[in-house]
Amino acid sequence: MVEQYHNYVNGSWTDAETGESFETEDPAAPAEIVAEYQDSGVKDAGEAVKAAADAQDEWADTPAPERGAILRATATILTDRKDELTKLLTREEGKTHAEAGGEVQRAIDIFYYYAEKTRDLGGSVKSASGPRTNLYTKNEPVGVVSLITPWNYPIAIPAWKLAPALATGNTVVLNPASVAPGVALEIFDALDEAGLPDGVANLVTGPGSTVGDAIINHDDVDAVSFTGSGEVGHMVYDQATDDGKRVQTELGGKNPTVVTDSADVEEAAEIVANGAFGVTGQACTACSRAIVDSEIYDEFVESVVAQAESIEIGPGDEYDMGPQVTESELEGTLEYIDVASNEGATLETGGGRPEGERFGDGYYVEPTVFSDVDNDYRIAQEEVFGPVLAVIEVDGFEDGLETANDISYGLSASIVTDDHTEAERFVREVEAGVAKVNDKTTGLELHVPFGGFKRSSSETWREQGDAGIDFYTIEKTVYDGF
């Protein structure tokens, strides 16, 4: 029996006005349908925004700790359902069971975190220049917020947008990516059970080109938070800012790990492989460029190839690396592999679809390593979004840092070195929103800001931690003469 999901609008589960629906498939076994969703239209989006606008004042006036209590209850409900959410995420997106479970736990932790932050929301007290005046600031919600989220972290990213928005008194409309929306809808089921008032949070499934566009451009929307591709994100930014809306976009990456001649080669190869091949390379922070000193280049290539070849591919409930999420994503990865070979890069391992009974018609691709890559090759400049690593040879630290920065993206970057001076200079000079030392490019703490430089972000507002609260609030200065 295929699970049937509905939109969540004004506290009710509703069918799309279009009367249409769409299905999602298991990327490990595409013939298996996972769930059915509403293929919504502009009218459905408008109803959701209206519900959010009607509920905004009352939600903003709700004491912040009371809002926090609902977020806390939501986290508890999600905790009770962690196993079933993990299975759903694996079936719909393709992550391994361990990766999916980690992502569900992150969403739970985010709701707990912002539930506690509601106790500390407020402003600051300042000294007035004159007598009999209390001078202070207070933080108020932005208003109605449109949230547009991608498929690659289908529960974590909705959580880290929803939780701070609701904690600070905003009402929201979420349009999740159609490839894997199930776990986002399960968040709303938990919010509903936790007692969230009608209209405060709304979810409408359907194409971003229709539903997403409608909730971005609606006159009652005050702010937009978007995570997705650079091409779409720049259009979203232009549309929203033309209407005077507050906008936050987090986009792609082409993330480097610089490996210096002082690094432990085996450790470096493990760090790079974990960053490149984890979640099947389908992370905006995935390591796609290993920039390696010539003194250890050959040894590193041999070691990282061994790491890649040790990964067991198969369905996410049993193996180390699952499939890509859709056939089109798989085709895109295979196309880039062909491009890299034609440009002159050397294919060291992988490069195709694995063969064997367990793979069936699943969207699997082998972990792939290219050596002899020039940094101006397309494989080194364009986001692949698959388990493909380009290894680039450089002559010393200076050359490595310059190569790391010679890119239009700037999301995450790391260095593997035993030299403190190199590490400190890398952190200071690398052009990336996240800089790591002796660690993989992936993996983020929820209580610190996240965002990129250059084409990886609008460079307006960061997400997560206190920065997440900043985006969803406006500061008012008050002169009180009583």
Side-chain angles (χ1 to χ4, degrees):
M1 183 70 177
V2 174
E3 181 78 25
Q4 293 184 321
Y5 285 97
H6 306 274
N7 292 331
Y8 185 76
V9 177
N10 202 25
S12 298
W13 297 101
T14 64
D15 291 334
E17 185 272 339
T18 62
E20 301 294 327
S21 64
F22 66 91
E23 296 174 330
T24 58
E25 62 187 21
D26 183 344
E32 296 184 13
I33 301 302
V34 177
E36 182 181 288
Y37 299 91
Q38 303 302 305
D39 194 3
S40 309
V42 172
K43 185 174 180 180
D44 301 298
E47 289 296 319
V49 174
K50 182 181 184 303
D54 289 346
Q56 209 287 309
D57 288 344
E58 186 173 350
W59 182 243
D61 290 339
T62 301
E66 188 176 326
R67 299 195 296 259
I70 294 174
L71 297 186
R72 193 175 303 108
T74 301
T76 300
I77 294 165
L78 293 174
T79 300
D80 292 341
R81 300 175 183 172
K82 181 179 176 181
D83 287 346
E84 61 189 84
L85 294 175
T86 298
K87 292 175 183 176
L88 174 59
L89 202 162
T90 294
R91 286 195 68 213
E92 202 163 59
E93 198 271 350
K95 279 187 171 75
T96 68
H97 189 273
E99 292 166 344
E103 184 182 341
V104 173
Q105 186 60 54
R106 183 178 183 83
I108 292 167
D109 292 344
I110 287 167
F111 273 96
Y112 276 129
Y113 173 79
Y114 282 107
E116 295 309 310
K117 294 295 286 185
T118 59
R119 300 180 185 274
D120 295 324
L121 295 178
S124 58
V125 177
K126 303 294 183 180
S127 296
S129 299
R132 297 186 302 278
T133 300
N134 295 316
L135 181 60
Y136 61 95
T137 66
K138 62 192 299 281
N139 294 327
E140 298 186 347
V142 174
V144 178
V145 184
S146 294
L147 310 177
I148 301 174
T149 57
W151 53 260
N152 62 321
Y153 285 92
I155 192 168
I157 294 179
W160 81 47
K161 294 181 188 293
L162 277 166
L166 297 175
T168 50
N170 299 275
T171 55
V172 302
V173 180
L174 171 66
N175 176 221
S178 295
V179 172
V183 282
L185 278 149
E186 294 292 345
I187 292 178
F188 279 72
D189 189 56
L191 285 166
D192 184 78
E193 185 175 329
L196 189 74
D198 295 350
V200 171
N202 307 271
L203 183 150
V204 181
T205 53
S209 58
T210 302
V211 175
D213 189 66
I215 66 172
I216 289 166
N217 294 308
H218 199 290
D219 289 342
D220 288 339
V221 169
D222 301 292
V224 177
S225 180
F226 172 91
T227 300
S229 72
E231 181 182 1
V232 176
H234 293 302
M235 290 190 294
V236 168
Y237 182 82
D238 289 342
Q239 289 174 355
T241 53
D242 283 348
D243 291 337
K245 294 177 172 65
R246 181 177 291 203
V247 188
Q248 171 190 74
T249 65
E250 292 303 336
L251 312 174
K254 192 67 183 173
N255 311 294
T257 295
V258 174
V259 183
T260 71
D261 60 358
S262 66
D264 180 291
V265 173
E266 290 293 328
E267 179 187 17
E270 183 177 357
I271 287 171
V272 168
N274 286 339
F277 306 128
V279 296
T280 320
Q282 298 176 135
C284 56
T285 54
C287 175
S288 56
R289 294 184 298 151
I291 300 170
V292 184
D293 191 282
S294 59
E295 292 294 320
I296 58 170
Y297 184 82
D298 291 339
E299 184 182 357
F300 175 86
V301 169
E302 182 178 349
S303 186
V304 81
V305 164
Q307 289 281 339
E309 292 177 346
S310 72
I311 295 171
E312 291 192 68
I313 311 168
D317 54 356
E318 296 182 51
Y319 294 92
D320 301 330
M321 192 180 90
Q324 296 216 248
V325 70
T326 63
E327 185 175 18
S328 62
E329 289 293 332
L330 171 63
E331 289 173 349
T333 297
L334 294 173
E335 181 179 342
Y336 269 110
I337 290 170
D338 287 342
V339 167
S341 297
N342 292 334
E343 286 181 312
T346 300
L347 178 63
E348 296 285 349
T349 190
R353 301 184 68 167
E355 297 179 355
E357 184 177 345
R358 75 167 178 263
F359 304 113
D361 295 324
Y363 304 133
Y364 295 100
V365 63
E366 297 165 323
T368 299
V369 177
F370 281 101
S371 65
D372 301 320
V373 177
D374 290 343
N375 200 50
D376 60 356
Y377 285 2
R378 286 180 61 191
I379 197 70
Q381 291 291 316
E382 299 175 13
E383 188 174 38
V384 177
F385 228 63
V388 179
L389 176 69
V391 188
I392 302 168
E393 184 175 3
V394 292
D395 185 17
F397 172 77
E398 295 279 352
D399 190 17
L401 179 60
E402 182 179 349
T403 300
N405 287 335
D406 185 19
I407 192 79
S408 60
Y409 294 100
L411 187 55
S412 181
S414 72
I415 186 171
V416 185
T417 182
D418 275 350
D419 187 315
H420 284 282
T421 301
E422 289 177 346
E424 290 170 2
R425 187 174 167 199
F426 178 84
V427 169
R428 187 172 61 250
E429 297 183 23
V430 72
E431 297 167 358
V434 176
K436 294 188 172 188
V437 177
N438 295 330
D439 199 0
K440 61 185 179 180
T441 56
T442 53
L444 306 165
E445 297 280 357
L446 63 86
H447 58 289
V448 291
F450 171 64
F453 292 175
K454 300 189 277 191
R455 285 186 60 203
S456 291
S457 169
S458 57
E459 297 187 341
T460 47
W461 306 86
R462 293 308 198 216
E463 296 194 273
Q464 304 196 110
D466 289 333
I469 290 173
D470 292 342
F471 174 70
Y472 295 106
T473 56
I474 297 176
E475 196 168 41
K476 178 184 286 184
T477 302
V478 180
Y479 293 78
D480 184 351
F482 280 101

